[in-house]
Amino acid sequence: MKLITRETDYAVRALMCLANNQGMVMPVEKIVREIKLPHAFARRLIQVLAREGIVRSVKGKNGGCELAKNLDKIKLVDIMAIFQGDVCLNECLFKKNICPNRSTCPLRKKIRAIESLVLKELRSITLATLMH
Amino acid sequence: MKLITRETDYAVRALMCLANNQGMVMPVEKIVREIKLPHAFARRLIQVLAREGIVRSVKGKNGGCELAKNLDKIKLVDIMAIFQGDVCLNECLFKKNICPNRSTCPLRKKIRAIESLVLKELRSITLATLMH
DNA sequence: TTTAATGATACTATAATTGTATCATTTGTC
DNA sequence: GACAAATGATACAATTATAGTATCATTAAA
Ligand code: FES
Ligand code: FES
């Protein structure tokens, strides 16, 4: 049961890499050299981050990318949302018919509560936190 | 990002079904009729639960299965472990080399903390809770 | 004009999840 | 003992999600 997929993992690593070079535009090639991940995968990944406004990219020679926001504005949970969709720990175990009192169902409440806990924690993790 | 797979979901439903018929041995056929799930899938699922000692099964005519433990001894987290493996929300995002201070890494601590929270909550959910 | 970069996007491979099928074994009942 | 109704064990197939690859177009500095 993975909370974070490898793609998110890579993305965060790449972002940390950019964070270490703030102010400079860094080509994907360089990121790939610093953190070990497949080249083509990295390309696509950065393209997505650029489209999502997490990084700013510069085309052409001497191009590359840099963080588009402040470290403390880039949340882990947002990166997760981009690559894995929203954090949603299963809406209802028992889809309709088994549970007669859906609105007051204790399990439903519990799962929701767990989700809130996880979200609260995840929201508190930013690139700034990670770089400490 | 699913915390619970469909197999676990089905398993819990089936167990709740058995809980509603405590003291009686119930054939899988009957479970399948009560909660909607594929017959062959249910067969295999119950077989696993029997092997794991969650239900007790009776072979032969008039056979079937029943809960092997008290409602409050059957934890959601154990059913999850059987069908999905241990709850482990990603050991370390950055596998070695990126994080220099592995032992004090703040992210590591955070992820671990989230895992503990989730586990604590999950452990408190038993069949008894679910039947309330 | 060449070169080094990104943008867009289609494709393949692998693994996990979900679902199916078969045959053997057990046990109550006629 | 034969039959029927159940589980045990286990192999297989289908679908979906994740992980990874490849290609061609576009941009801009040198
Ligand atoms: S389990 Fe879903 S409403 Fe009760
Ligand atoms: S991120 Fe894993 S040790 Fe720091």
Side-chain angles (χ1 to χ4, degrees):
Chain A
M1 179 195 328
K2 270 182 300 187
L3 188 60
I4 285 159
T5 65
R6 183 151 353 169
E7 204 175 5
T8 304
D9 181 334
Y10 282 153
V12 176
R13 291 203 226 183
L15 290 172
M16 289 181 76
C17 193
L18 292 177
N20 276 324
N21 288 265
Q22 273 185 298
M24 287 192 290
V25 169
M26 200 182 203
V28 170
E29 272 313 321
K30 208 171 170 190
I31 296 175
V32 168
R33 248 176 283 127
E34 296 223 359
I35 64 183
K36 267 302 205 205
L37 84 169
H39 166 81
F41 207 120
R43 279 296 314 286
R44 203 189 50 188
L45 203 135
I46 293 290
Q47 287 182 12
V48 172
L49 288 175
R51 219 178 296 147
E52 297 289 335
I54 308 293
V55 304
R56 186 172 18 250
S57 67
V58 179
K59 288 181 87 173
K61 199 162 183 178
N62 300 330
C65 57
E66 61 186 337
L67 297 180
K69 305 177 181 186
N70 231 306
L71 293 188
D72 62 350
K73 291 283 182 278
I74 300 178
K75 290 180 190 169
L76 177 57
V77 78
D78 294 333
I79 310 303
M80 291 173 70
I82 290 171
F83 294 107
Q84 323 179 22
D86 282 328
V87 173
C88 170
L89 307 179
N90 218 301
E91 159 69 355
C92 168
L93 270 183
F94 305 104
K95 331 260 154 61
K96 322 212 162 143
N97 42 21
I98 198 125
C99 188
N101 48 337
R102 211 154 177 282
S103 56
T104 58
C105 171
L107 176 62
R108 212 173 138 81
K109 274 195 198 122
K110 295 235 180 198
I111 296 281
R112 281 275 170 82
I114 292 178
E115 186 177 295
S116 307
L117 279 173
V118 171
L119 272 175
K120 189 182 156 210
E121 293 299 316
L122 283 179
R123 287 212 191 87
S124 77
I125 304 178
T126 66
L127 255 202
T129 315
L130 298 186
M131 305 295 294
H132 83 112
Chain B
M1 178 194 329
K2 270 182 300 188
L3 188 61
I4 284 158
T5 65
R6 180 149 358 165
E7 203 174 7
T8 304
D9 181 335
Y10 282 153
V12 175
R13 291 202 225 184
L15 290 172
M16 288 181 77
C17 192
L18 292 178
N20 276 324
N21 286 267
Q22 273 184 296
M24 288 193 288
V25 169
M26 198 181 205
V28 170
E29 273 314 319
K30 208 170 168 191
I31 296 176
V32 167
R33 247 175 285 127
E34 297 225 358
I35 64 181
K36 266 301 205 206
L37 84 170
H39 165 82
F41 207 119
R43 280 292 317 285
R44 204 190 49 188
L45 203 134
I46 293 292
Q47 286 181 13
V48 172
L49 288 175
R51 219 178 294 145
E52 297 287 336
I54 308 293
V55 305
R56 188 174 15 253
S57 67
V58 179
K59 288 182 87 173
K61 199 163 184 177
N62 300 331
C65 56
E66 61 185 339
L67 297 181
K69 305 176 180 186
N70 230 307
L71 291 188
D72 61 351
K73 291 283 183 276
I74 301 179
K75 291 179 189 170
L76 177 57
V77 78
D78 294 333
I79 308 304
M80 291 172 71
I82 290 171
F83 294 107
Q84 323 179 22
D86 281 328
V87 173
C88 169
L89 307 179
N90 217 303
E91 158 69 355
C92 166
L93 269 184
F94 306 105
K95 332 263 157 57
K96 318 207 168 149
N97 43 21
I98 197 123
C99 189
N101 47 337
R102 212 155 177 282
S103 58
T104 58
C105 172
L107 175 64
R108 212 173 139 82
K109 274 194 196 121
K110 295 235 180 197
I111 296 282
R112 282 274 170 81
I114 293 176
E115 186 177 296
S116 307
L117 279 174
V118 172
L119 272 174
K120 189 181 157 209
E121 293 299 315
L122 284 179
R123 287 211 191 88
S124 77
I125 304 178
T126 66
L127 256 202
T129 314
L130 298 185
M131 304 297 294
H132 82 114

